[in-house]
Amino acid sequence: MTEQGPESSADHITVVVADDHPMWRDAVARDLADSGFEVVATADDGRAAVARTRALVPDVLVLDLNLPGLDGPEVCAALSAAGVPTRILILSASGDHKDVLDAVKAGALGYLVKSAGREEFIAAVRATAAGDPVFTPGLAGLVLGEFRRARTAGPEQGGREIPELTERETEILRYVATGMGYKEIAATLFLSHRTVQNHVQNIFGKLQMHNRVELARFAMERGLDLGDPTT
């Protein structure tokens, strides 16, 4: 995180930073604090990351992939199993496709490599807090492609009807599952950003899910056509 840019408010977004390299961990925490985020804790291993995230329930956990004790996917899985609503952004030196898919399948909302610039990282944390998936360029297509392959290979589990959701919620679910951000969905449907966020929160509650990755998997398992949600 060597690039510098203008300071900006993060609207009191709370963050836990987990990384086993002290200099890197401190630099990330400092960049976040300088940009208006509240860093409520740091952790140097996987178990500490789980414990502090469960205790403090920050908006975002910035998580290294390779941690002692529990690795990144294991931390994601533990927090998901505990029902912790914190959104997880992986910040890793690895861009390996298997690492990316393992982390996302375990519950990470986004994945950024450590070569990202400071402003790209700050924007990614802000987007993660808002519930928008963020990936280093080229990785988003990989993740969506994997979900589509899983849908093709797996059995249908209930057809296209989702009785738990309203027609509008089902429509928004299709957009979310293709990786569109809330602002894009709002512009497409001529709704406010806040209205889209409220619909997504209602979807989370009705389906008892905690992140957009789970929603994407659910949509594909139910057979929703995600090829072009505008049709």
Side-chain angles (χ1 to χ4, degrees), residues 144 148 151 174 178 224-231:
L144 185 56
R148 283 177 171 158
R151 174 193 168 191
R174 293 179 67 204
T178 62
L224 287 182
D225 182 5
L226 305 182
D228 183 357
T230 64
T231 61

Side-chain angles (χ1 to χ4, degrees), residues 66-191:
N66 297 310
L67 290 172
L70 298 173
D71 64 20
E74 289 172 331
V75 171
C76 293
L79 293 173
S80 179
V84 179
T86 294
R87 289 157 176 161
I88 301 173
L89 173 65
I90 298 293
L91 184 61
S92 173
S94 171
D96 181 80
H97 288 184
K98 182 179 185 303
D99 288 341
V100 177
L101 293 174
D102 286 347
V104 172
K105 288 176 181 178
L109 183 60
Y111 195 109
L112 205 64
V113 296
K114 287 183 175 180
S115 59
R118 178 181 185 272
E119 294 307 313
E120 183 182 0
F121 167 65
I122 295 300
V125 177
R126 187 176 290 108
T128 301
D132 291 335
V134 179
F135 292 93
T136 292
L139 297 182
L142 165 74
V143 173
L144 185 56
E146 176 67 16
F147 283 141
R148 283 177 171 158
R149 281 192 294 274
R151 174 193 168 191
T152 301
E156 294 292 332
Q157 299 183 18
R160 299 178 182 275
E161 297 300 322
I162 305 177
E164 305 97 312
L165 306 181
T166 67
E167 183 176 345
R168 174 64 89 184
E169 288 167 347
T170 301
E171 181 180 29
I172 289 176
L173 172 60
R174 293 179 67 204
Y175 285 100
V176 170
T178 62
M180 287 181 66
Y182 294 166
K183 290 182 180 179
E184 292 178 282
I185 298 172
T188 301
L189 298 179
F190 302 100
L191 300 172

Side-chain angles (χ1 to χ4, degrees), residues 32-74:
L32 289 168
D34 288 347
S35 297
F37 297 87
E38 181 184 359
V39 180
V40 294
T42 62
D44 59 4
D45 63 54
R47 290 187 175 86
V50 171
R52 290 167 193 173
T53 302
R54 291 189 65 174
L56 298 168
V57 194
D59 298 306
V60 178
L61 169 62
V62 176
L63 180 66
D64 186 24
L65 196 67
N66 297 310
L67 290 172
L70 298 173
D71 64 20
E74 289 172 331

Side-chain angles (χ1 to χ4, degrees), residues 13-33:
I13 295 170
T14 56
V15 185
V16 167
V17 177
D19 196 295
D20 63 335
H21 292 89
M23 290 182 63
W24 181 266
R25 183 176 64 247
D26 292 347
V28 169
R30 183 172 58 252
D31 279 349
L32 289 168

